[in-house]
Amino acid sequence: MRQRELATDLLAAEFMKVRLAKLADRALTLKVRLVQQEEAREREVAFRQKMRQKREAFQLLIKNVEARQKREREELRMSQLRVAKNIKLIQALEMRGLDEIDRRRKLKENEVVAHQLRMKQQKETEQLRELQLIKIKHMTETLAREIEDQAALEHVATEHKEKELALEAQFLSQQQAAQDEMDNAQARIKATHLRERQKATRSSFERQQRRQASFLERQQRHSAKLRTRVFMAQDELLQKSSGIGDEDSEDSSSMSGTESSDDASDSEEQAGGDGEHGGAEKAGGDGEKRVAKSKNLDDAQELELMEQLEKGRDRVRTLQRQQKENLDSLKSQQRDQFRMLQKEQKRKFSDLIKEQEEEVAQIRADHQLEMNELLATMSRNDIIESQKRQVEKKLDTDSSNDLLSAMLPKFICDQLKQGIMPEPVSFDFACVGFMDLYGFKELASAAGTGHQLVKLLDRLYKCFDAILVDYPTLYKVETVQDTFMVACGVLDTRDSTPIDQRIEFARAILEFSMDAIDAVAEIDVSDLKLPGTWKDGLPLRIGLNCGPCLAGLVGSKAPRYCLFGDVVNVASRMCSTNDKGRIQVSDEFHKVVAAEQDLVFVERGSIAVKGKGTMLVWVLEQPPVDGGIAQEGAESEIDDNNTMGTITPEPERNEQQHHE
């Protein structure tokens, strides 16, 4: 039972050992797998971090490139501006000393040159921008290719690592299998040794048990003999007491028989003891033989165990050698594959760079072709424009002269044609007249009269322009809303103005004013549906003044011939303080024409003129016209410091005119 318990314990221990070994192998496998997964995850995280850093660096590089490209475009723009400025300076120098016709022709040519230059510069800017965009595109493609190649290399490296780990795991599995076989062989040898020891122990136990049984049997027989002898001695004593005579013979015979039987039994016992002793000695000899045989068997099994262990070690060494060879071969294959992949990537990258260079070269060639075509087109356009200018030169001369003469005095036009910038001219005498519509402020503030006002002013100014044709000495200075400004004696330069010429200028502007009042009275405005008394006619009022003034050309885009001086302000006040339908003149103007018998003036008296104090005014005798008298507060506000021939309305009127 102890041997069974020992065998059970050994089996349980061996089972637990095998189970623990399997658990240890499984734990090791799981640990290796977890380590592999962690390493793979760390490699992936590191690769992603590296790619993110690479993209961030690329974004920063792109920003720097875009900033540099922006500076290049700005430098190109500034260079183009400098070229355009230099060309303009050269053109301005070329235009000096040219007459008006040549100047206009040169201006057209300069406009064409400027337009062509702008087209060329725009094309250069577009081409530069296209090249810059292509460069950024190529950089992006290069980065994408680099990231793709690095991802492929990382994938190959991961596969190689997995293959190495799989090969190592296979080697560990084979090594563990060989170790398991060695352990199993050792376990079988141990089991065999245990069985032999158990057999030897059982044989020893059996011999001892036989010896003990034989010894106990001899003791039992000896005890039985002693009891028999005691019983017989007691029996003899009883017989002696019952019959001494007969019994003596029987006792002697029985005693002799008993003694003989006892001797026989003793001899038998001795013989049995000798036999048993001989059997025990024989059994002992057999046990020694078995022990020797068991020892020989143990030695053979030990030798076999050592041989198996040595074979296991040889196998492990063989596996290690094969593992090293396989690993070296795998690494060599991986290096070859890696080099081939790198070579292929370099080739593709070189092809990409070559394609990009070819694309840039093709774009540059296209740009050059486009620029040549543009230059050829511009050359053809130059020829066509030159021919057109030659054809239109004569046609434009007369019309431009007429238009210029209508806008500016003749002496100003002559100076402009000669390329001379007119200087301001002082006149010792000039007549200035202002005329407007009385109550135009109320009409302009009425709702729904916007279109009617435009039509009304158009008819009014056309009427004035038609009358001006008959008065060549008058000059239309400007118009501001309903105010029409004319001047007489400013169309030619002179040192002084004699009395008769002054009277002539004054009569001319007076006759124009009277014709204007008559013509305006005949204007039909019934179709305009004007409110109030405007349906019956237009209430025109006129103010005249004379005196010295300064005239000059003002502006460059649309130059105007303007008058400056106090004579302009007083004439405006003569109009703004007048009644409708009348011509009001200053005392200076009245003194000039007072000797004319056909002109009758009525003294209106002294009136308050803002900025001038009290002034004596006269009114040309005209038929009475219905209507009110001009309000004192309705006069126009003209700044005393502003001597330009423009009208500055009073605040209320200014707001209404600004609104309209």
Side-chain angles (χ1 to χ4, degrees):
M1 290 180 66
R2 284 196 303 270
Q3 290 175 356
R4 290 193 188 96
E5 291 178 357
L6 180 61
T8 302
D9 293 340
L10 289 174
L11 289 175
E14 189 66 24
F15 176 74
M16 290 301 296
K17 182 179 179 182
V18 172
R19 186 174 180 182
L20 288 174
K22 291 182 179 180
L23 289 175
D25 294 340
R26 186 177 299 174
L28 180 61
T29 304
L30 291 175
K31 182 179 179 180
V32 171
R33 187 176 300 172
L34 290 175
V35 169
Q36 293 175 358
Q37 292 177 356
E38 184 67 20
E39 290 178 353
R41 188 183 67 82
E42 290 178 356
R43 287 195 302 271
E44 184 177 1
V45 170
F47 179 74
R48 290 181 179 177
Q49 181 70 18
K50 183 179 179 181
M51 292 299 102
R52 184 166 61 253
Q53 293 177 356
K54 193 174 185 67
R55 289 191 180 93
E56 292 176 355
F58 178 74
Q59 293 296 331
L60 182 60
L61 177 62
I62 288 296
K63 290 182 179 179
N64 295 332
V65 170
E66 289 179 350
R68 186 170 64 252
Q69 291 178 352
K70 186 177 180 181
R71 289 194 298 270
E72 291 177 356
R73 293 196 299 272
E74 185 66 20
E75 291 175 357
L76 176 62
R77 189 181 69 84
M78 296 303 295
S79 176
Q80 292 174 351
L81 291 177
R82 287 193 298 270
V83 171
K85 184 178 179 181
N86 295 333
I87 291 176
K88 287 182 179 179
L89 292 175
I90 295 173
Q91 292 174 352
L93 293 175
E94 292 176 350
M95 290 178 63
R96 289 185 178 180
L98 299 178
D99 56 6
E100 181 63 22
I101 298 175
D102 294 337
R103 182 185 292 272
R104 291 179 59 192
R105 178 181 56 79
K106 193 64 177 178
L107 284 175
K108 288 185 178 181
E109 294 177 357
N110 294 341
E111 289 178 358
V112 173
V113 172
H115 179 66
Q116 294 176 353
L117 180 62
R118 286 195 298 271
M119 292 176 60
K120 182 179 178 181
Q121 291 177 349
Q122 182 180 2
K123 180 62 70 175
E124 290 176 351
T125 304
E126 292 175 355
Q127 292 177 355
L128 177 61
R129 184 56 180 165
E130 185 177 0
L131 289 175
Q132 291 175 348
L133 293 176
I134 287 296
K135 182 177 180 181
I136 294 177
K137 175 187 174 184
H138 290 172
M139 292 176 64
T140 305
E141 291 177 352
T142 303
L143 176 66
R145 178 58 59 85
E146 289 179 356
I147 292 176
E148 182 180 355
D149 293 343
Q150 290 184 2
L153 293 176
E154 184 67 19
H155 180 67
V156 170
T158 303
E159 289 182 352
H160 292 174
K161 189 66 177 178
E162 290 178 355
K163 289 181 180 180
E164 291 177 3
L165 293 175
L167 185 61
E168 185 178 356
Q170 181 181 1
F171 169 72
L172 291 176
S173 176
Q174 293 177 356
Q175 188 176 8
Q176 187 63 35
Q179 188 66 34
D180 291 340
E181 290 181 1
M182 293 173 62
D183 293 341
N184 291 331
Q186 290 179 354
R188 287 195 299 271
I189 293 173
K190 288 181 180 179
T192 302
H193 289 178
L194 180 60
R195 285 195 297 271
E196 293 298 329
R197 284 196 299 272
Q198 289 177 353
K199 287 180 182 179
T201 304
R202 280 199 301 272
S203 299
S204 177
F205 284 163
E206 288 175 356
R207 289 195 302 272
Q208 291 178 2
Q209 289 173 357
R210 283 195 297 270
R211 289 174 185 174
Q212 290 176 359
S214 129
F215 178 72
L216 290 175
E217 186 178 357
R218 284 196 304 272
Q219 286 183 349
Q220 289 175 357
R221 282 198 299 270
H222 182 67
S223 299
K225 288 178 182 180
L226 290 177
R227 286 194 300 273
T228 301
R229 288 176 183 176
V230 171
F231 177 75
M232 291 180 67
Q234 291 177 356
D235 187 44
E236 286 178 357
L237 290 175
L238 289 175
Q239 287 178 2
K240 285 179 180 182
S241 61
S242 60
I244 296 172
D246 296 328
E247 293 176 357
D248 291 334
S249 60
E250 294 177 0
D251 288 337
S252 60
S253 61
S254 62
M255 286 292 292
S256 61
T258 300
E259 291 177 355
S260 62
S261 62
D262 291 336
D263 295 335
S265 62
D266 291 337
S267 62
E268 291 177 359
E269 289 178 358
Q270 185 67 28
D274 294 337
E276 291 177 355
H277 182 68
E281 290 179 354
K282 185 177 181 181
D286 294 337
E288 291 178 356
K289 291 180 180 180
R290 283 195 296 272
V291 170
K293 183 178 180 181
S294 177
K295 185 176 181 181
N296 295 330
L297 184 59
D298 290 340
D299 294 338
Q301 290 177 348
E302 185 71 20
L303 182 60
E304 183 181 359
L305 175 62
M306 295 301 295
E307 291 177 356
Q308 290 181 355
L309 290 176
E310 188 64 27
K311 290 180 179 180
R313 293 190 186 95
D314 294 339
R315 185 177 179 184
V316 170
R317 285 192 292 270
T318 303
L319 289 175
Q320 290 178 350
R321 186 172 60 256
Q322 291 178 355
Q323 170 68 13
K324 185 177 180 180
E325 293 175 356
N326 293 336
L327 187 61
D328 293 340
S329 177
L330 179 62
K331 288 183 177 180
S332 178
Q333 293 177 1
Q334 291 175 352
R335 284 194 297 270
D336 295 339
Q337 184 180 1
F338 203 78
R339 282 195 296 269
M340 291 177 63
L341 181 60
Q342 287 181 337
K343 186 176 180 180
E344 182 66 19
Q345 289 178 354
K346 288 181 180 179
R347 184 186 64 78
K348 291 182 179 179
F349 191 77
S350 300
D351 294 341
L352 177 62
I353 297 298
K354 185 177 180 181
E355 291 176 359
Q356 293 176 354
E357 292 176 352
E358 291 177 354
E359 184 178 3
V360 172
Q362 183 64 33
I363 291 174
R364 291 184 183 276
D366 294 340
H367 288 174
Q368 186 64 34
L369 181 61
E370 291 175 359
M371 186 61 69
N372 294 334
E373 292 178 355
L374 178 62
L375 294 176
T377 304
M378 291 167 59
S379 178
R380 290 193 297 271
N381 292 337
D382 290 341
I383 297 173
I384 295 173
E385 289 295 332
S386 177
Q387 293 175 354
K388 285 183 178 180
R389 285 193 297 270
Q390 292 176 0
V391 173
E392 295 174 354
K393 182 177 180 180
K394 184 171 175 43
L395 297 176
D396 291 343
T397 302
D398 297 336
S399 60
S400 61
N401 290 335
D402 295 339
L403 181 61
L404 193 62
S405 298
M407 294 177 60
L408 300 173
K410 184 178 182 303
F411 74 96
I412 297 292
C413 295
D414 295 338
Q415 292 180 6
L416 291 176
K417 291 177 182 179
Q418 295 174 4
I420 302 174
M421 187 64 187
E423 296 292 335
V425 181
S426 297
F427 296 97
D428 62 337
F429 181 85
C431 297
V432 179
F434 281 86
M435 53 193 69
D436 64 6
L437 297 177
Y438 181 81
F440 186 79
K441 174 182 175 182
E442 290 76 10
L443 178 63
S445 62
T449 60
H451 296 287
Q452 290 88 334
L453 290 178
V454 175
K455 294 179 180 179
L456 173 62
L457 295 177
D458 179 63
R459 295 178 185 179
L460 181 65
Y461 292 154
K462 285 181 178 179
C463 178
F464 292 158
D465 293 339
I467 298 172
L468 278 174
V469 176
D470 298 332
Y471 295 92
T473 58
L474 268 65
Y475 173 67
K476 175 183 175 182
V477 181
E478 62 180 352
T479 59
V480 178
Q481 290 194 359
D482 64 323
T483 302
F484 190 87
M485 178 182 176
V486 294
C488 186
V490 295
L491 295 180
D492 55 353
T493 59
R494 58 189 180 275
D495 296 333
S496 62
T497 306
I499 297 299
D500 56 348
Q501 194 174 11
R502 294 187 180 189
I503 296 173
E504 182 182 352
F505 290 159
R507 288 188 63 88
I509 198 168
L510 272 174
E511 292 174 359
F512 170 77
S513 300
M514 290 185 289
D515 292 343
I517 290 177
D518 296 339
V520 169
E522 297 176 359
I523 296 177
D524 184 14
V525 293
S526 59
D527 59 325
L528 299 180
K529 298 180 181 180
L530 298 176
T533 59
W534 291 85
K535 299 178 181 178
D536 301 332
L538 302 179
L540 182 67
R541 59 182 181 179
I542 301 174
L544 303 177
N545 187 30
C546 63
C549 70
L550 181 68
L553 193 64
V554 178
S556 60
K557 179 85 175 167
R560 301 295 302 274
Y561 186 67
C562 299
L563 303 181
F564 303 88
D566 190 62
V567 64
V568 179
N569 296 334
V570 175
S572 175
R573 287 169 173 80
M574 292 298 102
C575 179
S576 62
T577 58
N578 193 13
D579 299 334
K580 63 181 179 179
R582 293 189 180 275
I583 301 173
Q584 181 173 269
V585 300
S586 64
D587 188 52
E588 288 77 6
F589 190 91
H590 177 262
K591 291 178 181 179
V592 174
V593 296
E596 299 296 318
Q597 299 297 328
D598 57 340
L599 298 176
V600 180
F601 287 90
V602 178
E603 181 180 351
R604 186 179 177 185
S606 297
I607 62 173
V609 177
K610 187 174 182 181
K612 295 296 180 180
T614 302
M615 295 184 66
L616 179 63
V617 297
W618 300 78
V619 177
L620 182 66
E621 185 66 28
Q622 292 286 339
V625 180
D626 295 336
I629 301 176
Q631 300 296 326
E632 182 179 356
E635 66 173 305
S636 299
E637 294 289 341
I638 300 182
D639 189 0
D640 293 335
N641 295 326
N642 181 14
T643 59
M644 184 175 177
T646 56
I647 301 174
T648 305
E650 59 184 352
E652 295 181 357
R653 182 166 179 170
N654 188 19
E655 293 179 1
Q656 183 63 29
Q657 290 174 350
H658 177 71
H659 173 71
E660 292 301 328

